[in-house]
Amino acid sequence: MNTIDYKRIVWLASYPKSGNTWFRAFLANLLRNSNTPADINELEGGPIASSRQLFDEATGLSSADMIPDEIEKLRPLVYEYIAQQSEDVVFHKIHDAYTSTPDGKPLVPESATKAVIYFVRNPLDVAVSFAHHSNLGFDVIVKAMNTNEYAFCNKPSKLHMQLTQRLLTWSNHIISWVDNSNLPLIVIRYEDMKLAPFETFSKAIQFCGLNFNDSQIREAIAKSDFNELMKQEKEKGFREKSPESESFFRKGKIGSWKEELSAELVEIIIKNHFEMMGRFGYLPESK
Amino acid sequence: MRSFRYKAFGLYIESELEIPEFLPTDEEPGIFIGLGEVPDQLVSPQFIGVRFQASPNQFILKVDNIANYYAEAGHTITVQPSENAEMADVRLFLLGSVFGALIHQRGLLPMHGSSLVFGESAIIFSGVSGAGKSTLAAGFIKRGYKILSDDISVVSVNKQNLPAVSAGYPQMKLWADSLEKLGIDPNSLSRVRKQLNKHNFEVVDAFESAKLPLSGIYILHTKNSPGIEVEDLKGIEKFNALKNNTYRLNFVRGLGNNEANFNHLSAIAQNCFVRRLSRPSKGFSTDSIIDIIENKLHSIG
């Protein structure tokens, strides 16, 4: 019997606030190729891997009646199911770190994975953006970014709209995907998306084995320009915005930390994430 | 073997498994629940999910370390509990997904939602898991309303094609967080499962056991902006909203009863209102939503 290749999911993986949503807007514009910019409320890459609805539909079980370990054990099978149900390449966003389930299996199975686009951004800017996004103090976020137990949607007393997502520390999130996953993976720096959009977006698209010509890529980049995303959010809102924040598309700048982060917090982030910051070119020049 | 007779979801049931959540009855049963061996897989499954398989008249669900279940032709359920499984856990998935499949097999429509009594008819509050269906239903009960069913509402149509909702069973499941918002101490209630901070909330006097005509459906949504909005859905949007809130729509794909599903959804779309109610995901009160719904119902008369 010949086995069918179900490696159809391209994961858009990242720690939060690292350019994932921007890339999804680019993808929506690239894949749909309409005359007007794609609606920010219908981006590519959904539903997110941690969607509760996705899990319930795929398994036939109510995750609301399951304990976290039971849910996590089935998550790799959910992704295999998605890959098998898909006729072609599909994109899914994921914020979980690349971890193992309680029975020792990778959360994200190789058998369902075509590629991983891993987005990374200067943690100093991530801290600023993340704090605004969640309406929390910079110090709280800096601490979260250095907490290995940090997770989304893990309060045991209530039902979250999404499943629990373990993020690990900012550095360990990178290590989990980039060094430990063994999946075909390309690292895309947020800063390169900003400074050299054509080269960077093209590289990501080619890595996934998709064929688009230069003008198509340039057009999709133009349609997902930050100002366009901001304009649309102002006009009709963005459903992926946190209720805690005023807007999702805020500044999208490189180096916001210089104006917003205290020297003390900058120091702490550099100390906590020195190695990974050095590896991706994020150490401030004076250090 | 000793057996028990119950009424739930508008169905009469004989069960080898004791199901204290259901109401006892003396009526002749049309459905049998037995303990026994569940086949490992279906011979020719039409649809395979991660933990279920479905073909016309056959359905298997596997819940690791709890039980395997086999529902046949809308009248028989076989349960094979795992070793050392808690019977409360075995019942939890039986009363959810497995009954959902059985209801589909009978050509009835299980809607994912809780139904409450308004005057002489019922309204279903539907929405995805986490939208706040049960919390809202509990809020209505606190105001003196009666509940027909929590989480799954079984809709049938009569000869005139008019939809009605059958009574489920007099118990709800509420998270500690929701109970606290309702002013109920979670610790005063038993847990749905030992490891979950989710509790059994028995509705004794607030339970309506009659089948009632369905007047409409509210589909609960969350949004990240302030204010509560209610919008009447029309046309294809109305139909799709109903379809998407069918309990375990994926089961229909394997069970092959698309036609029954379509007919029920059409009957609801023709005869009932469908409204989308969007509320902020944070910083809202259940009472304010109930006020809006009450006003809306009174203003229409």
Side-chain angles (χ1 to χ4, degrees), chain A residues 63-110:
Chain A
S63 55
D65 288 332
M66 298 168 74
I67 57 179
D69 278 4
E70 292 172 339
I71 294 172
E72 215 175 89
K73 279 183 195 169
L74 292 181
R75 281 183 63 185
L77 301 177
V78 170
Y79 305 135
E80 281 173 356
Y81 164 91
I82 293 172
Q84 285 167 20
Q85 293 289 314
S86 309
E87 283 171 11
D88 208 340
V89 174
V90 281
F91 292 86
H92 284 283
K93 173 180 170 172
I94 183 165
H95 279 324
D96 296 84
Y98 181 88
T99 55
S100 292
T101 63
D103 49 354
K105 299 202 176 85
L107 181 71
V108 174
E110 195 188 353

Side-chain angles (χ1 to χ4, degrees), chain B residues 82-257:
Chain B
S82 307
E83 233 176 284
N84 304 323
E86 296 278 343
M87 287 318 279
D89 293 359
V90 173
R91 292 197 302 273
L92 188 59
F93 294 93
L94 171 69
L95 271 48
S97 295
V98 181
F99 258 93
L102 183 99
I103 291 160
H104 277 302
Q105 284 176 342
R106 294 183 76 85
L108 303 168
L109 173 69
M111 287 294 294
H112 196 191
S114 306
S115 36
L116 288 143
V117 182
F118 294 85
E120 303 292 305
S121 58
I123 291 177
I124 299 175
F125 294 89
S126 195
V128 297
S129 196
K133 304 179 288 285
S134 299
T135 308
L136 185 63
F140 271 113
I141 290 170
K142 234 187 133 190
R143 285 212 189 173
Y145 288 86
K146 287 193 159 186
I147 186 168
L148 266 168
S149 201
D150 182 36
D151 202 42
I152 302 176
S153 292
V154 179
V155 178
S156 54
V157 292
N158 66 10
K159 282 180 185 130
Q160 286 78 43
N161 212 31
L162 296 172
V165 184
S166 297
Y169 56 91
Q171 186 155 306
M172 303 179 69
K173 297 177 287 180
L174 290 167
W175 290 85
D177 174 71
S178 299
L179 287 166
E180 276 161 9
K181 277 185 194 150
L182 293 161
I184 301 162
D185 177 12
N187 298 320
S188 66
L189 303 173
S190 68
R191 286 184 174 221
V192 168
R193 294 181 69 183
K194 273 185 197 159
Q195 310 92 324
L196 283 186
N197 202 351
K198 191 180 184 185
H199 302 258
N200 294 310
F201 182 63
E202 274 180 49
V203 278
V204 188
D205 299 331
F207 183 66
E208 172 60 61
S209 58
K211 183 175 179 175
L212 294 177
L214 175 66
S215 58
I217 296 184
Y218 277 94
I219 295 167
L220 307 180
H221 270 255
T222 56
K223 61 190 178 79
N224 54 21
S225 53
I228 295 163
E229 285 160 25
V230 181
E231 183 191 357
D232 259 294
L233 302 183
K234 306 262 181 248
I236 190 73
E237 203 185 2
K238 184 178 187 180
F239 184 86
N240 284 340
L242 290 170
K243 184 175 160 194
N244 292 335
N245 285 286
T246 300
Y247 187 77
R248 303 279 179 267
L249 185 61
N250 255 350
F251 293 177
V252 176
R253 295 168 68 180
L255 295 167
N257 54 347

Side-chain angles (χ1 to χ4, degrees), chain B residues 55-68:
Chain B
S55 62
N57 284 325
Q58 293 174 316
F59 173 86
I60 289 176
L61 185 79
K62 295 181 178 182
V63 191
D64 300 334
N65 303 315
I66 293 179
N68 291 348

Side-chain angles (χ1 to χ4, degrees), chain A:
Chain A
M1 207 176 93
N2 53 347
T3 49
I4 305 166
D5 181 3
Y6 287 118
K7 294 182 178 181
R8 290 172 187 161
I9 303 177
V10 174
W11 297 102
L12 307 173
S14 73
Y15 199 83
K17 311 310 291 176
S18 302
N20 205 321
T21 305
W22 181 20
F23 192 86
R24 291 170 52 216
F26 162 76
L27 266 184
N29 281 302
L30 185 70
L31 302 177
R32 291 177 213 162
N33 191 29
S34 76
N35 290 326
T36 50
D39 187 336
I40 57 166
N41 289 309
E42 291 167 21
L43 297 181
E44 276 298 317
I48 191 166
S50 46
S51 160
R52 179 178 297 286
Q53 225 184 324
L54 182 71
F55 179 96
D56 290 7
E57 274 171 25
T59 59
L61 302 170
S62 170
S63 55
D65 288 332
M66 298 168 74
I67 57 179
D69 278 4
E70 292 172 339
I71 294 172
E72 215 175 89
K73 279 183 195 169
L74 292 181
R75 281 183 63 185
L77 301 177
V78 170
Y79 305 135
E80 281 173 356
Y81 164 91
I82 293 172
Q84 285 167 20
Q85 293 289 314
S86 309
E87 283 171 11
D88 208 340
V89 174
V90 281
F91 292 86
H92 284 283
K93 173 180 170 172
I94 183 165
H95 279 324
D96 296 84
Y98 181 88
T99 55
S100 292
T101 63
D103 49 354
K105 299 202 176 85
L107 181 71
V108 174
E110 195 188 353
S111 55
T113 301
K114 182 171 177 65
V116 180
I117 305 180
Y118 187 83
F119 302 94
V120 63
R121 183 184 187 184
N122 188 337
L124 299 166
D125 282 338
V126 169
V128 172
S129 179
F130 202 175
H132 284 289
H133 178 74
S134 44
N135 199 19
L136 292 168
F138 292 134
D139 55 332
V140 178
I141 291 299
V142 170
K143 198 175 165 203
M145 288 171 71
N146 198 40
T147 303
N148 216 38
E149 293 72 38
Y150 188 60
F152 280 164
C153 304
N154 64 340
K155 270 204 205 93
S157 60
K158 61 178 280 190
L159 184 65
H160 294 272
M161 296 293 280
Q162 284 185 30
L163 305 176
T164 300
Q165 298 147 72
R166 289 191 280 156
L167 296 189
L168 312 180
T169 68
W170 179 81
S171 290
N172 285 341
H173 192 281
I174 299 175
I175 292 169
S176 77
W177 279 100
V178 179
D179 296 338
N180 297 345
S181 78
N182 271 325
L183 298 170
L185 179 145
I186 186 171
V187 177
I188 296 290
R189 292 189 343 143
Y190 179 82
E191 293 74 13
D192 295 334
M193 288 164 70
K194 274 280 191 212
L195 299 172
F198 176 72
E199 292 73 13
T200 311
F201 283 99
S202 300
K203 201 168 72 175
I205 288 303
Q206 277 163 15
F207 186 77
C208 308
L210 298 177
N211 284 320
F212 287 92
N213 64 36
D214 290 3
S215 71
Q216 287 171 311
I217 289 178
R218 282 185 204 282
E219 199 184 322
I221 292 171
K223 281 186 193 152
S224 45
D225 181 75
F226 199 81
N227 290 323
E228 169 64 29
L229 305 179
M230 253 178 15
K231 190 187 102 197
Q232 283 198 33
E233 180 171 19
K234 218 168 239 161
E235 281 168 13
K236 55 193 172 191
F238 181 39
R239 62 182 172 88
E240 298 179 36
K241 178 187 83 85
S242 150
E244 308 288 356
S245 67
E246 250 169 62
S247 60
F248 184 95
F249 301 106
R250 207 179 52 93
K251 283 185 176 162
K253 265 176 59 181
I254 298 174
S256 277
W257 63 272
K258 288 175 189 160
E259 291 118 54
E260 303 201 42
L261 272 191
S262 70
E264 190 195 348
L265 288 177
V266 169
E267 204 59 42
I268 293 175
I269 293 176
I270 293 173
K271 194 180 115 236
N272 290 341
H273 305 291
F274 190 82
E275 202 186 326
M276 284 302 125
M277 286 180 78
R279 180 167 164 189
F280 292 98
Y282 292 141
L283 288 174
E285 274 159 24
S286 57
K287 301 289 161 184

